[in-house]
Amino acid sequence: MEKRVVFRQTFLPYLLLAPQVLVTLVFFFWPASQALYQSVLREDAFGLSSEFIWFENFSALFAEAEYLHSLEVTALFSLAVATTAMTIALYLAVQADRVIHGAMVYKTLLIWPYAVAPAVAGVLWMFLFNPSMGIVVFALRAVGYDWNHALNGHQAMALVTVSAAWKQISYNFLFFLAGMQAIPKSLIEAAAIDGARPARRFWTIVFPLLAPTTFFLLVMNVVYAFFDTFGIIHQVTEGGPAGATNILVYKVFHDGFLGLDLGGSAAQSVVLMAIVILLTVFQFQYIERKVHY
Amino acid sequence: MIANKTLLGALSAVMMGAMSLPALAATEIQWWHAMGGALGDRVNEIAENFNRSQDKYKLLAIYKGNYSETMTAGIAAFRAKKQPHILQVFEVGTATMMGAKGAIKPVYELMAEAGIPFDANDYLGAVKGYYTNTEGKMLSMPFNSSTPVLWWNKDAFVKAGLDPEKPPKTWPEVGEYAKKIVAAGYPCGFSTAWQSWIHLENFSAWHNVPFGTLENGFAGTGTEFTFNSPLHVKHIQQMADWQKDKIFVYGGRRNLGNAKFIAGECGMYTESSAGYGSFKAGAKFPFGASNLPYWPDVKGAPQNTIIGGSSLWVLSGHDAESYKGVAAFFNFLSLPMVQAYWHANTGYVPITNAAYELMKKLKYYDDNPGRDIPILQMGSKAPTPNSKGLRFGNFVQVRGIIYEELEAIWAGKKTAQQGLDDAVKRGNVLLRKFEKMQN
């Protein structure tokens, strides 16, 4: 005998959904529509005069060599952050999963960096690597390596990537660990009995079974690298040197809030919005198909 | 009974408090500023002293972050109709503020309405020129003004076998001295703060060459940048070449390089005269300040340097009573005593002639040799169209572009010619954008 519960009320579900819908409308749709509107205007900073100029802001944007450079930088940066953060987190999760004594201590310590705000993380790394007083820089100089990320674009990129990945490792670690603990022990034990070594067990059993987690984290990490790393970039390099770390979201801030070019900045955020939508669709369309749940 | 009495007492106290409130209620005036640290303390002292000097107005000095953050906060507040009365805006934002005609209340108008005598000619020429309109009327209230000078580490000079009391006068001499300093074991001959302001903007004025057309933008918005002239290229290329032997070392954007000078790494350092406060607090060696170096083969050099720093803009949309308070505060701020106090404690220049005269009368420069160098450097020659100052729209963004291109030059990715050409080209795009917005 099947028992089905049917809610006849039509009002209640909407009421329960309302807060979420309201938050989404106010904090996502309304600002997004404002950005769309602003991107076709030329307006002075004070909002005293504005002129409708169709897509002039967009054509100016793509005529700018620096913007195309910023696109490249963003692609490189998000790829580097996602791979670094996920690889290290996976390695740590595998190790933590095996530890028997003091597992809680390891886990807690590994999760800590996630509680650090991006701007604060940026300041920490900035001090460590400050070209004139950073402690790491002293050590590097002692072994004959000259560190100056104020001038060397590759070093600057490496530094912001490491800072951004360091923060995200905790988040990834948490999900990987949870994912691994959900894998039935019997599978692994069976493989062990068949003579599979830890490395083999990992690649043929654990890793494929972690695929849904890995996929989820890939999406989250790319979104993180696109948007949440703003504070780190602002503290550590300000997009420099010579635009080497000028990722799209930082350029939006720089041109809009420091340069006071609202139309151009809005056009950039519209492009950014389109890129993220496309990326997410692509990830769900093509990569998710390869994931076994 | 006793409880009753206490209650009665408390009540009457409250009543009296309530009744006396209207008499006490001073008109509140908000001043958003960008002076952090020790400078912020000085600003608070000035505000407190103004409040103590009268009881009609209450001035609230509120720190809003660095210059860009303060300006952005002020503009955002204006759009939300919650703007402060007074907003401190750095000199590169001047053209933007001047262009926002409906958002500002010109200072000359404010003072006239309040009936307070105010003459732009009371201010030092270099200061006045920067903040007046084409009719010579003051649009904003000059506040903290400084100019770049050469700071040198006397210990480093001694170690390099140089006379610690004789700083270099020209760029070739700087190169020579720096080479000796590096040879004596220092990791850096000289470094600089504010690379665009000092090595391009002030460099142009100091050598009497234009930074842009149309009198550096004073004569109209149809201006174009010209800081890729052979002289500019020669100077920047020389700095880039000097990097190979550590004669010049790049220390980072804005004045991040201060850390290098204070730590004693660099023998010489070009930075604003306002760097005095932080050097005095941090440097563990004797140091001096002298005139900005120049190229001796340029005819007419040195001319005069231009100011940096900021001015106070009055925002529109407040009532007449509070504007009277703003005018009273500006009057207070211009008093020679207040200016003298500010100058002596910060390294900014006194902005009125009267304050400068007062300092001379007090024999301040006899006791503190070198503190008048910035004033003399800005004012010893009458400014030319190339050395009055700069007035370019979107200049905050242009500075960002110049930073990027100079960094590409320092990193050896571009030659000075390529980098400066690109900076001019990209800057001109922003000038055209600003021009369109103004029409």
Side-chain angles (χ1 to χ4, degrees):
Chain A
M1 202 172 102
E2 200 185 356
K3 219 179 174 183
R4 283 181 88 180
V5 182
V6 178
F7 295 100
R8 298 209 177 277
Q9 248 171 337
T10 47
F11 178 69
L12 187 67
Y14 290 107
L15 186 75
L16 292 175
L17 267 178
Q20 182 60 44
V21 171
L22 203 69
V23 165
T24 315
L25 281 178
V26 172
F27 290 102
F28 290 92
F29 284 90
W30 187 69
S33 69
Q34 286 287 306
L36 278 170
Y37 175 62
Q38 193 77 254
S39 70
V40 290
L41 295 180
R42 175 165 44 229
E43 192 177 75
D44 71 297
F46 288 87
L48 297 165
S49 68
S50 70
E51 187 191 346
F52 183 74
I53 52 165
W54 287 103
F55 301 111
E56 211 178 290
N57 285 327
F58 290 93
S59 56
L61 203 56
F62 286 104
E64 219 185 297
E66 289 68 37
Y67 190 68
L68 304 176
H69 178 65
S70 176
L71 275 169
E72 275 171 43
V73 167
T74 312
L76 181 70
F77 175 71
S78 50
L79 197 71
V81 169
T83 350
T84 318
M86 285 172 68
T87 318
I88 297 177
L90 183 58
Y91 176 77
L92 290 173
V94 170
Q95 301 303 320
D97 198 29
R98 276 205 220 136
V99 172
I100 297 162
H101 296 291
M104 267 321 279
V105 178
Y106 286 110
K107 287 172 195 167
T108 311
L109 287 178
L110 282 167
I111 292 162
W112 260 5
Y114 193 62
V116 180
V120 177
V123 170
L124 288 176
W125 287 90
M126 185 187 75
F127 275 124
L128 285 173
F129 282 87
N130 184 304
S132 47
M133 52 189 184
I135 193 160
V136 179
V137 177
F138 270 111
L140 286 172
R141 239 173 240 159
V143 297
Y145 186 78
D146 191 28
W147 180 277
N148 188 359
H149 68 259
L151 206 54
N152 186 321
H154 299 298
Q155 290 177 354
M157 185 51 137
L159 180 56
V160 288
T161 305
V162 168
S163 326
W166 172 72
K167 249 191 71 53
Q168 193 65 3
I169 286 172
S170 309
Y171 179 86
N172 296 348
F173 169 79
L174 214 59
F175 278 89
F176 275 133
L177 191 67
M180 261 184 282
Q181 283 168 352
I183 296 171
K185 284 275 173 286
S186 57
L187 283 176
I188 295 166
E189 281 158 10
I193 291 166
D194 286 347
R197 291 184 172 280
R200 174 101 193 151
R201 294 203 295 264
F202 174 77
W203 288 114
T204 51
I205 299 171
V206 178
F207 191 66
L209 284 174
L210 272 179
T213 312
T214 315
F215 171 68
F216 163 78
L217 286 178
L218 182 70
V219 177
M220 294 310 287
N221 277 263
V222 168
V223 172
Y224 163 78
F226 261 80
F227 294 102
D228 290 352
T229 47
F230 160 80
I232 291 172
I233 303 270
H234 189 47
Q235 286 302 330
V236 181
T237 62
E238 296 176 51
T245 55
N246 202 5
I247 61 170
L248 291 170
V249 69
Y250 191 72
K251 199 167 155 54
V252 169
F253 162 79
H254 187 272
D255 293 359
F257 289 88
L258 299 180
L260 302 172
D261 172 15
L262 298 178
S265 171
Q268 288 179 35
S269 54
V270 170
V271 174
L272 190 56
M273 192 151 69
I275 292 175
V276 172
I277 291 172
L278 282 177
L279 262 181
T280 314
V281 169
F282 173 82
Q283 282 169 332
F284 277 94
Q285 282 290 308
Y286 295 96
I287 302 180
E288 203 195 11
R289 283 190 193 161
K290 301 206 165 108
V291 172
H292 311 282
Y293 284 99
Chain B
M1 193 65 197
I2 292 170
N4 251 347
K5 255 190 186 164
T6 327
L7 192 70
L8 209 71
L11 250 177
S12 63
V14 169
M15 294 269 290
M16 269 168 67
M19 279 192 299
S20 57
L21 261 181
L24 276 176
T27 308
E28 220 169 65
I29 296 165
Q30 288 203 21
W31 173 19
W32 288 9
H33 66 84
M35 307 269 88
L39 288 174
D41 296 340
R42 298 291 94 75
V43 163
N44 288 334
E45 280 163 18
I46 291 177
E48 266 166 41
N49 282 325
F50 171 69
N51 287 336
R52 235 177 274 146
S53 73
Q54 44 77 43
D55 57 4
K56 275 172 84 179
Y57 311 103
K58 189 171 184 318
L59 180 68
L60 293 174
I62 302 162
Y63 175 61
K64 280 281 168 182
N66 67 28
Y67 280 136
S68 323
E69 286 162 358
T70 304
M71 186 169 174
T72 308
I75 289 174
F78 182 83
R79 293 181 75 113
K81 301 197 167 40
K82 299 241 187 301
Q83 67 271 33
H85 301 80
I86 308 170
L87 181 69
Q88 184 185 12
V89 176
F90 56 167
E91 88 284 355
V92 289
T94 303
T96 302
M97 297 303 288
M98 283 182 178
K101 290 198 178 62
I104 58 159
K105 190 169 178 68
V107 163
Y108 74 88
E109 225 178 87
L110 174 99
M111 298 307 257
E113 280 170 21
I116 295 175
F118 180 74
D119 186 358
N121 292 321
D122 291 344
Y123 293 80
L124 294 185
V127 174
K128 188 190 88 177
Y130 218 106
Y131 300 117
T132 47
N133 65 9
T134 37
E135 287 110 55
K137 293 195 166 147
M138 201 79 100
L139 296 180
S140 64
M141 186 71 189
F143 179 50
N144 55 326
S145 299
S146 62
T147 204
V149 291
L150 177 78
W151 298 91
W152 83 98
N153 176 337
K154 292 184 179 173
D155 280 358
F157 270 51
V158 172
K159 275 189 197 134
L162 297 161
D163 182 347
E165 297 308 324
K166 270 207 184 128
K169 286 197 173 62
T170 64
W171 285 114
E173 280 174 25
V174 169
E176 247 172 71
Y177 285 35
K179 206 179 272 174
K180 284 184 187 158
I181 290 167
V182 173
Y186 281 83
C188 152
F190 82 96
S191 186
T192 189
W194 310 106
Q195 43 187 343
S196 168
W197 182 56
I198 297 178
H199 293 277
L200 289 172
E201 298 163 34
N202 266 291
F203 179 84
S204 306
W206 198 220
H207 294 84
N208 198 14
V209 291
F211 186 81
T213 58
L214 294 177
E215 302 186 15
N216 286 342
F218 275 75
T221 49
T223 171
E224 288 193 341
F225 290 119
T226 54
F227 57 81
N228 56 347
S229 79
L231 182 64
H232 291 100
V233 170
K234 171 186 161 185
H235 179 65
I236 297 298
Q237 189 61 52
Q238 178 67 81
M239 304 236 311
D241 293 343
W242 274 339
Q243 277 193 119
K244 285 170 200 129
D245 308 318
K246 304 268 175 200
I247 289 175
F248 166 64
V249 174
Y250 175 56
R253 294 185 178 187
R254 294 190 305 277
N255 55 358
L256 289 176
N258 282 15
K260 278 188 181 306
F261 183 67
I262 292 173
E265 274 181 48
C266 301
M268 291 171 279
Y269 190 58
T270 48
E271 151 74 319
S272 153
S273 57
Y276 175 75
S278 64
F279 297 157
K280 197 180 174 201
K284 292 191 179 63
F285 49 83
F287 60 85
S290 114
N291 284 319
L292 196 66
Y294 60 95
W295 288 97
D297 51 339
V298 176
K299 237 181 118 190
Q303 171 58 38
N304 66 287
T305 55
I306 55 178
I307 58 165
S310 68
S311 66
L312 306 181
W313 288 85
V314 184
L315 299 183
S316 61
H318 294 285
D319 56 56
E321 182 55 27
S322 55
Y323 282 137
K324 270 191 193 157
V326 174
F329 170 59
F330 283 178
N331 193 43
F332 173 84
L333 192 60
S334 309
L335 292 176
M337 269 317 291
V338 178
Q339 279 302 316
Y341 168 81
W342 177 247
H343 168 48
N345 285 290
T346 61
Y348 286 110
V349 300
I351 49 172
T352 60
N353 294 315
Y356 181 41
E357 292 306 320
L358 176 71
M359 293 306 265
K360 280 201 275 192
K361 218 180 279 169
L362 292 171
K363 301 214 184 315
Y364 179 75
Y365 303 115
D366 297 338
D367 302 335
N368 300 277
R371 293 298 307 279
D372 55 347
I373 281 177
I375 307 163
L376 297 171
Q377 188 177 286
M378 284 196 308
S380 53
K381 281 192 190 175
T384 70
N386 295 329
S387 69
K388 255 200 311 193
L390 306 177
R391 191 162 298 164
F392 300 107
N394 283 332
F395 199 59
V396 184
Q397 249 178 315
V398 174
R399 272 228 181 131
I401 290 174
I402 293 176
Y403 282 166
E404 283 181 18
E405 296 296 340
L406 284 179
E407 281 171 347
I409 296 170
W410 307 145
K413 279 193 206 150
K414 290 183 180 176
T415 63
Q417 184 77 56
Q418 285 169 334
L420 292 179
D421 284 351
D422 288 349
V424 164
K425 212 180 338 164
R426 291 171 63 190
N428 284 341
V429 172
L430 291 175
L431 287 180
R432 294 293 74 76
K433 218 172 181 176
F434 184 74
E435 191 183 10
K436 276 189 208 158
M437 209 135 59
Q438 292 293 306
N439 298 324

